[in-house]
Structures are given as structure tokens and as C-alpha cells.
Amino acid sequence: MSERTLRGKVAIAGVGETTYYRHGQSPDAEFKLALQAILAACRDAGIDPREVDGFASYGDDRSDGPRLAASLGIRELRFSNMHWGGGGGGVAAAVANAGAAVHSGMANCVIAFRSLAQGQFARYGRSRTGAAAVGDDAFLAPYGLMSPAQRFAMKITRFMTDHGIRHEALRAIAMASYHHAQNNPNAVMRGRPLTEEKYDASRWIIEPFHRLFDCCQENDGAGAVLVVPADRAKDLPHKPVYLLGAAQGGHHRSAAPVHNAPDYASAHFKTVAKNLWEMARLGPQDCDVVQAYENFTGGVLLSLVEHGFVDPARANEQLVLENLLVGGTGTMPMNTSGGNLAECYMHGLEMVNEAVRQLRGTAINQVAGANVVAVLGGPMVTPVSSLVVGTEAAL
Amino acid sequence: MSTTTNRVLPEGLPAPSQDGLARPYWDGTRQGRLVIQKCRGCGRHQWGPEWVCHRCHSFDLGWEEVAPRGRIWSWQRPHHPVHPALNGHTPYTIVLVELPHADGVRMVGNLICAPDAPVTIGAEVEAVFEPHDEADPPYTLVQWRVRGG
């Protein structure tokens, strides 16, 4: 039996993104943003948009595939896929689902994308008012537990307390994103650098580990990547970026109701990371760059630990700013375009685009000779997902 | 068990829908009793309410009263008001309480304490039933306070 894997079978041939905006600032409708990003990805790949035959997304994206296919005059739609789960837990999975469709022969040319104009619809950080709380929320909302930050905060409290990890470790994660964003013309937080003093003086969102700068922005924009068979990518304009490993899901009952996951103080990557490294035949030590989704900095800590990048016993020494920056003495350059915190909260799709730029050698904060990049999707939800991508040298 | 009319959070937050699956829990709280699912197949507790026992897949799920005590498994203290009703009423404290005598199920509630009181993981807590009699339909929340505190 041939090995069942996506390793080296498919490639990202094009990336596209819109201008990124603060929430409510986009002059364009959310669906138009999706179209702009998709067309940009096709242009980047040198592929006629009418050749696209599939769409994969996540986070309950409102720009549905069939409608996109109609708008773009797609000749034949062969793959339409929405990954379960809200937020950015599915970002890497959407790319992998596109890859699986391409590798299996179900489709030839699939767009994975995310479009989000939070100003035009409900915002994540404000609770809806009025209605009675149903399902899980009946046991949470009456106690004032309603926002994403609040849903995850108690995981972080427990993990950091158990391991004696200081808030300064989270500050370094936030500062790395802001630092890298300062060179990025499309970063929403360009021109607004973050210092230790500014971070320490920022208001509490939630004690004991969520200051304002530990929490992501809310933004408007869209991002897209175009996934094709590996063989085809070789004939396209850019250096192919191969999918080396992909995994999604969650560990035993990680989605148990009312905060009853048996292994609760987790980002839910424990089994996913194992499967990821197995498919990639690589480990954290092989990665030149890490893109780690920040919904909240505490979630980044958990993701890094569960993927083996950080040892909880050494987190206070490993998670220092110098270690996370491009161009210095750091061993783990992270969120090199500014990430969700400071480039744009495009539910992590912006991190996939940045991984591709790093591997093409065209990133603004380029890690010299980068051949392998890990993209860790939104943590602490279920399903979560992550991705390893690499150049031909990594195959 | 005790009751109080001093509420932890202001009026105006969403009321729980006391729907079919969770009905015995909400009925219990109205009587000052903590009643959760216990499988008649394998005899183990589970929470929140489910249609099937996640251990033995029995659909024969009973409801039993458990001692309204536990220990703090984790906590958080929100400062940012995410709902208009919370404007001017932050910070407040949310705890995740583990019930070791009920197979370690966990419940979420507020800790009755000063806004700057230290919170200790592992601290023993007891339930305080908080009736909302004027609501339509009426309901009772389960809050927590440190035992002997």
C-alpha cells in the first residue's frame, strides 16, 4: 500500500490579500474583499481565475464558495468545503482540505481563504444582548462568561500557575508581533510600536494574564492562497511552497461541554502536533520560522509548548523578545509579519501568506535561507489545526 | 447550602434557557439542590448535560443530587465589560470548580469575594444558590464562596 500522506504532494502557488483595516474601516463589502483576495492569489500564481475549481474556508465564513464561483465565472465547481468550528482553529485545516482535494483528484486548483469585515457584522469581543442563553451558554453567560477571551482565560490561568510562567513571557510574544509589524506597510499596527512600559501600563481585560496587548485586534480584510498539485506548481512563476505536514482535530473530549475537557489547560494540539510532525517527518527543531496564531498570547504559549517549541520548565527563558525576532540572535523567529496582534486579525490566513513569502525569500522581515515554516492555527478551540510548509530543499 | 438575595452580578445579563435536556438541573437549583447527570449504565457522573453517556454510551442517564461543594480548579477576573449590563460592575470573579466526589466534573460560576481578593487554585468552596424569582420564568444560579472564608 502506498503511504497515505500529503507530504510534498501539493503546493501553494499563489497568495493574495487585501488592504487590512481596523474593524469597521473597510470601504468595501466583505464579499468584495473575498473576491479581491482570491483574484490577487490567482494573479500571483499566474493562473486564470476561471480555472479555480474549488473553495475551502473555515470560521463560518459568510462568503460561500458557490456564490464566489458564480461571481467569478468559474467554469466548473468541483470542491466546496467549510471546516467546522469558529474563529481561526481551522486556518491550517482549510489549506490542508484544499490540498487533500487536489491530491485526491477531486479538484485541480483550490482556493483556501478567509474574508472578514467585523465592522459590517457582529464583533467577537462584544456579547449579543437580549436573548436567553442556550446550550453551553446557559451555564456560562449568566455568570458573565461570554467573550472569547473569557472562554479561554481559565486554561491559561491554570497552565501558567502550574508551571510558574510569568506574564513577561506573554509580553515577549506580543512585543515580537508588534516589532515585526513596524516594517510591514500592510500592518494595521505599523507606526504604533509596543514597549515594555506601554504593555505593562495597558489596562486589564482579564486578570491574571490578559492585558489589552495580550488580545488580538478585530479587523476587516481578506486573504487567500491557491493550492495546486506539486507537479503543476513547478511550471508557475514562483518557487513552489510545498505542504509537508498537516493535521487537525483535538484530543480526547477537548470539546466537552461547560469547560469539562479532561485535559483542560491545553490548546488542544497534543495529538494534532504529533500527527503533524509524523506526516512532515520533521520536528520543531527543523523549523526556521514559526507563525503562531495569537487570539490571546497565552494561547500562543500553549501552542508552542504542545508543538514542542517551548519547554514549560524553561518558558520564562525561551520566551524573551530577543529570541523571537528576525535578524538578531533569536533561535525562534515568530510572527514575522506582525501576526494577528499587529498585522491583521485575518483569522491566521495572513500567517499562511507570510509563511509562503518567507519560503520564497520575499518577506519584509526575511529569515535568511528559510526552508521550513510551521503555521500553528487558532489555539484552545476544537478543532485546531496546524501546517508545515517548505521549499524544495525540505522535501 | 445557603441562599442569598445579594447578587454577584447586576440585572440584565442573559437568563439561562432552562431547556429540556438540562431541566432537572434547573429544577434542582430552585430547591437549593445541586443535581447533575449520573449514568444508570456505568454509575458515573458527567457535566454538562449530554444525550448519551460518553463512557458507556448508555442513553439511560439519571439525575442525582451531589454535595454542593468543590475546589477551585481555575479562575479569572474580567475587567472589560463585554455586555452593557456589566458597565460599571467590573471586575468580577469567575471560577471553575471541580467536584472531586462526583467524578471530578467541573462547574462554572462566580466566586463571592471582594474584587481584589486573592484567589487560590485548590481552595475548598461551597455553593450559594442565587434565586432570580422575579424573572419570567424564575431561575436560580449557583455561585461559590470559599469555605470558612
Side-chain angles (χ1 to χ4, degrees), chain A residues 153-166:
Chain A
M154 294 192 290
K155 292 170 172 290
I156 293 161
T157 304
R158 178 72 191 226
F159 187 85
M160 293 190 54
T161 305
D162 280 354
H163 295 281
I165 299 170
R166 294 189 295 268

Side-chain angles (χ1 to χ4, degrees), chain A residues 17-377:
Chain A
E17 62 202 17
T18 64
T19 300
Y20 293 141
Y21 303 94
R22 294 177 69 82
H23 66 84
Q25 298 299 305
S26 169
D28 294 316
E30 186 177 72
F31 190 75
K32 186 176 173 186
L33 294 169
L35 293 166
Q36 289 169 347
I38 290 164
L39 288 170
C42 293
R43 215 162 32 242
D44 183 54
I47 283 181
D48 181 343
R50 292 165 199 84
E51 239 190 90
V52 169
D53 59 2
F55 296 94
S57 192
Y58 58 100
D60 304 324
D61 201 291
R62 286 173 285 256
S63 302
D64 75 75
R67 188 169 158 231
L68 289 165
S71 294
L72 292 169
I74 299 297
R75 296 188 192 103
E76 179 192 15
L77 183 65
R78 299 182 68 190
F79 185 69
S80 308
N81 176 251
M82 170 54 67
H83 191 77
W84 271 318
V91 58
V95 179
N97 292 340
V102 165
H103 178 52
S104 65
M106 292 171 68
N108 294 315
C109 189
V110 179
I111 287 280
F113 74 98
R114 184 78 176 102
S115 58
L116 194 56
Q118 295 183 266
Q120 294 167 20
F121 298 92
R123 285 187 51 196
Y124 289 98
R126 295 294 296 181
S127 174
R128 286 160 203 260
T129 55
V134 301
D136 243 32
D137 285 341
F139 304 101
L140 304 174
Y143 303 101
L145 197 166
M146 288 176 273
S147 69
Q150 295 167 348
R151 273 204 292 283
F152 306 134
M154 294 192 290
K155 292 170 172 290
I156 293 161
T157 304
R158 178 72 191 226
F159 187 85
M160 293 190 54
T161 305
D162 280 354
H163 295 281
I165 299 170
R166 294 189 295 268
H167 206 160
E168 286 81 353
L170 305 188
R171 184 176 68 189
I173 292 168
M175 287 179 66
S177 291
Y178 272 82
H179 179 90
H180 290 136
Q182 300 315 309
N183 295 329
N184 178 354
N186 202 22
V188 176
M189 291 298 177
R190 189 184 197 202
R192 301 180 67 186
L194 180 61
T195 61
E196 289 184 358
E197 295 69 30
K198 191 170 168 187
Y199 174 97
D200 291 344
S202 68
R203 65 190 172 95
W204 283 114
I205 302 301
I206 302 169
E207 283 183 87
F209 294 119
H210 289 70
R211 290 193 178 277
L212 176 66
F213 291 106
D214 292 306
C215 305
C216 62
Q217 321 172 55
E218 298 189 62
N219 295 115
D220 297 351
V225 298
L226 184 61
V227 179
V228 298
D231 287 347
R232 176 146 197 222
K234 289 176 188 147
D235 302 328
L236 295 173
H238 291 289
K239 196 167 131 185
V241 168
Y242 296 98
L243 202 159
L244 300 177
Q248 54 145 300
H251 56 65
H252 175 62
R253 299 194 77 235
S254 57
V258 202
H259 299 240
N260 269 260
D263 184 359
Y264 176 81
S266 164
H268 305 164
F269 277 114
K270 290 184 181 177
T271 54
V272 172
K274 180 175 170 290
N275 296 332
L276 175 78
W277 298 130
E278 263 179 31
M279 185 186 285
R281 288 191 244 126
L282 296 167
Q285 71 284 354
D286 300 308
C287 296
D288 302 303
V289 191
V290 188
Q291 308 296 333
Y293 188 113
E294 328 97 307
N295 36 17
F296 306 99
T297 53
V300 176
L301 165 70
L302 293 171
S303 293
L304 293 171
V305 166
E306 291 172 19
H307 282 87
F309 288 101
V310 165
D311 172 0
R314 296 187 53 231
N316 289 322
E317 298 91 72
Q318 290 178 298
L319 291 171
V320 292
L321 183 61
E322 310 84 83
N323 198 35
L324 307 178
L325 299 184
V326 175
T329 55
T331 58
M332 194 173 68
M334 191 168 82
N335 297 349
T336 48
S337 61
N340 280 332
L341 290 183
E343 182 181 30
C344 177
Y345 183 60
M346 200 33 57
H347 274 180
L349 208 294
E350 85 287 355
M351 295 183 160
V352 180
N353 287 3
E354 171 65 5
V356 171
R357 289 189 295 260
Q358 286 287 348
L359 293 168
R360 288 178 178 175
T362 60
I364 282 165
N365 300 300
Q366 180 66 43
V367 174
N371 281 314
V372 180
V373 182
V375 181
L376 318 183

Side-chain angles (χ1 to χ4, degrees), chain A residues 126-127 129 131-133 138-139 142-144 146 150 153-154 157-158 203-207 253 257 259-262 264, chain B residues 9 13-17 47 50 54 73-84 92 105-106 108-110 121 142-143:
Chain A
R126 295 294 296 181
S127 174
T129 55
F139 304 101
Y143 303 101
M146 288 176 273
Q150 295 167 348
M154 294 192 290
T157 304
R158 178 72 191 226
R203 65 190 172 95
W204 283 114
I205 302 301
I206 302 169
E207 283 183 87
R253 299 194 77 235
H259 299 240
N260 269 260
Y264 176 81
Chain B
L9 295 178
L13 286 171
S17 92
W47 192 250
E50 295 267 26
H54 71 265
W73 202 90
S74 193
W75 65 280
Q76 63 173 309
R77 181 165 285 157
H79 284 242
H80 178 69
V82 298
H83 187 286
Y92 55 98
V105 300
R106 299 187 207 116
V108 171
N110 297 121
I121 288 173
V142 181
Q143 309 289 21

